[in-house]
């Protein structure tokens, strides 16, 4: 996480440091105090740590809410021995999975307030928009069949504090952080036609987390500024769950139903949804 967070932030801070040199005893020409509104557009991408790239499905076969069981065949073999893959399955057998939507356009609107005290600027900002990123994990059973759990951001937002230093060149270099929110859409797909599958938890979820980053903002006029901003966001997902039960034709040998519970619940192993973003910002200051 640290490389993914620090590298873009360091680039932004270097951009600020590359602004024209300023005299230490010179006050900024323009005051940053006041309300501002604006928007941003850029790119969001997922860091693809091991917990994403090595993600798999996990199962609860005894109904105790703990997802630490294997789904076994009547002979006692692991029904998911073919394995798992990151991305969306393109067929019933392992070997090929489609790429995730982990690099996507991001845009948002914001409203905030800054207060300048000498060269230091502190404030708060509320932002809402869309990142449009998503990812999937697929499992493969010996049937053969594939099972795909997917999630994507419908829209997201944040409420952040920010603090920075105003240069005499009318440049503001700042750090920011606070609460993050997203409306997450979960979905399920399978090539298995023998069982019933019901989403029992979390199809559409309000997910919360945190976000932090920094940026550089340059005043073009007294009322208008442009900038570039980096944010790292981590959301805690609540456990989208799909239940596999008896199909239209009851079975006494189907691995999903020859369990202590008579059904099998499945989830993803990774309960974190993370992404980075770099955006160009524009603000009008009153």
């Amino acid at each position: 996480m640290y490389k993914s967070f620090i590298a873009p932030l360091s680039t932004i801070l270097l951009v600020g440091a590359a602004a024209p040199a300023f005299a230490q005893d010179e006050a900024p020409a323009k005051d940053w105090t006041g309300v501002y509104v604006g928007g941003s557009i850029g790119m969001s991408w997922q860091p693809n740590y091991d917990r994403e790239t090595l993600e798999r499905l996990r199962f609860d076969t005894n109904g105790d809410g703990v997802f630490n069981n294997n789904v076994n065949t009547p002979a006692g073999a692991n029904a998911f021995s073919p394995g798992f893959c990151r991305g969306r399955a393109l067929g019933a057998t392992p070997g090929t999975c489609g790429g995730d939507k982990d690099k996507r356009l991001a845009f948002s609107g914001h409203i905030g307030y800054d207060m300048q005290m000498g060269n230091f600027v502190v404030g708060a900002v509320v932002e809402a928009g869309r990142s449009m990123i998503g990812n999937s994990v697929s499992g493969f059973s010996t049937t053969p069949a594939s099972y795909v759990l997917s999630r994507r951001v419908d829209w997201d937002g944040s409420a952040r504090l920010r603090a920075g230093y105003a240069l005499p060149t009318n440049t503001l270099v700042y750090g920011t952080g606070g609460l993050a929110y997203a409306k997450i859409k979960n979905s399920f797909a399978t090539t298995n036609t023998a069982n019933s599958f019901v989403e029992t938890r979390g199809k559409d979820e309000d997910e919360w987390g945190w976000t932090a980053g920094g940026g550089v903002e340059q005043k073009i006029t007294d009322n208008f500024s442009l900038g570039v901003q980096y944010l790292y966001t981590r959301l805690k997902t609540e456990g989208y769950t799909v239940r596999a039960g008896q199909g239209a034709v009851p079975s006494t040998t189907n691995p999903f139903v020859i369990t202590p519970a008579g059904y099998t619940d499945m989830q993803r192993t990774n309960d974190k949804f993370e992404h980075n973003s770099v955006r160009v910002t524009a603000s009008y200051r009153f």
Side-chain angles (χ1 to χ4, degrees):
M1 179 184 79
Y2 298 104
K3 290 181 180 179
S4 176
F5 178 86
I6 291 174
L9 181 56
S10 300
T11 301
I12 289 173
L13 295 178
L14 285 173
V15 171
F22 62 94
Q24 294 293 334
D25 59 351
E26 189 177 347
K30 294 182 174 65
D31 192 352
W32 292 84
T33 298
V35 176
Y36 60 93
V37 297
S40 67
I41 188 167
M43 181 68 67
S44 286
W45 72 96
Q46 294 178 272
N48 289 329
Y49 302 131
D50 284 350
R51 60 174 165 262
E52 285 97 21
T53 58
L54 302 180
E55 189 178 11
R56 48 166 289 168
L57 303 182
R58 59 180 184 170
F59 306 97
D60 173 16
T61 61
N62 57 18
D64 64 356
V66 180
F67 289 76
N68 60 355
N69 307 128
N70 285 332
V71 178
N72 294 322
T73 67
N78 185 352
F80 278 81
S81 57
F84 307 87
C85 70
R86 172 72 188 272
R88 181 177 292 273
L90 301 179
T93 57
T96 56
C97 275
D100 287 327
K101 298 178 180 179
D102 56 4
K103 292 183 180 67
R104 282 294 183 268
L105 178 72
F107 56 88
S108 66
H110 60 255
I111 181 170
Y113 178 82
D114 286 329
M115 177 179 292
Q116 184 165 341
M117 298 169 289
N119 289 87
F120 293 97
V121 178
V122 295
V125 59
V126 176
E127 190 170 42
R130 299 194 72 180
S131 296
M132 300 190 291
I133 56 173
N135 59 38
S136 303
V137 61
S138 300
F140 300 90
S141 65
T142 54
T143 312
S146 64
Y147 309 82
V148 184
L149 272 69
S150 302
R151 60 189 172 204
R152 65 175 176 84
V153 175
D154 188 24
W155 64 276
D156 55 8
S158 64
R160 308 190 311 272
L161 299 176
R162 72 176 196 165
Y165 190 87
L167 308 180
T169 55
N170 302 315
T171 306
L172 177 65
V173 182
Y174 65 88
T176 184
L179 184 68
Y181 163 83
K183 172 69 76 174
I184 303 293
K185 299 283 189 179
N186 292 288
S187 61
F188 174 74
T190 182
T191 60
N192 178 330
T193 59
N195 293 92
S196 64
F197 294 92
V198 178
E199 297 164 305
T200 62
R201 180 183 177 188
K203 182 176 181 180
D204 297 328
E205 286 291 327
D206 297 313
E207 308 292 13
W208 298 89
W210 60 270
T211 183
V216 177
E217 194 170 348
Q218 178 67 49
K219 277 197 173 183
I220 308 303
T221 69
D222 285 341
N223 301 104
F224 182 70
S225 62
L226 292 174
V228 60
Q229 175 179 268
Y230 164 76
L231 289 174
Y232 167 82
T233 302
R234 176 187 284 190
L235 301 164
K236 178 72 165 64
T237 59
E238 292 300 322
Y240 172 59
T241 304
V242 175
R243 177 167 295 178
Q246 287 281 9
V249 179
S251 173
T252 58
T253 59
N254 185 283
F256 283 126
V257 298
I258 56 169
T259 62
Y263 57 82
T264 297
D265 286 342
M266 67 179 79
Q267 290 184 350
R268 306 175 65 146
T269 56
N270 182 21
D271 63 355
K272 297 177 177 62
F273 197 1
E274 302 161 273
H275 64 89
N276 305 279
S277 68
V278 171
R279 307 183 189 188
V280 174
T281 65
S283 298
Y284 181 83
R285 295 179 173 272
F286 297 92

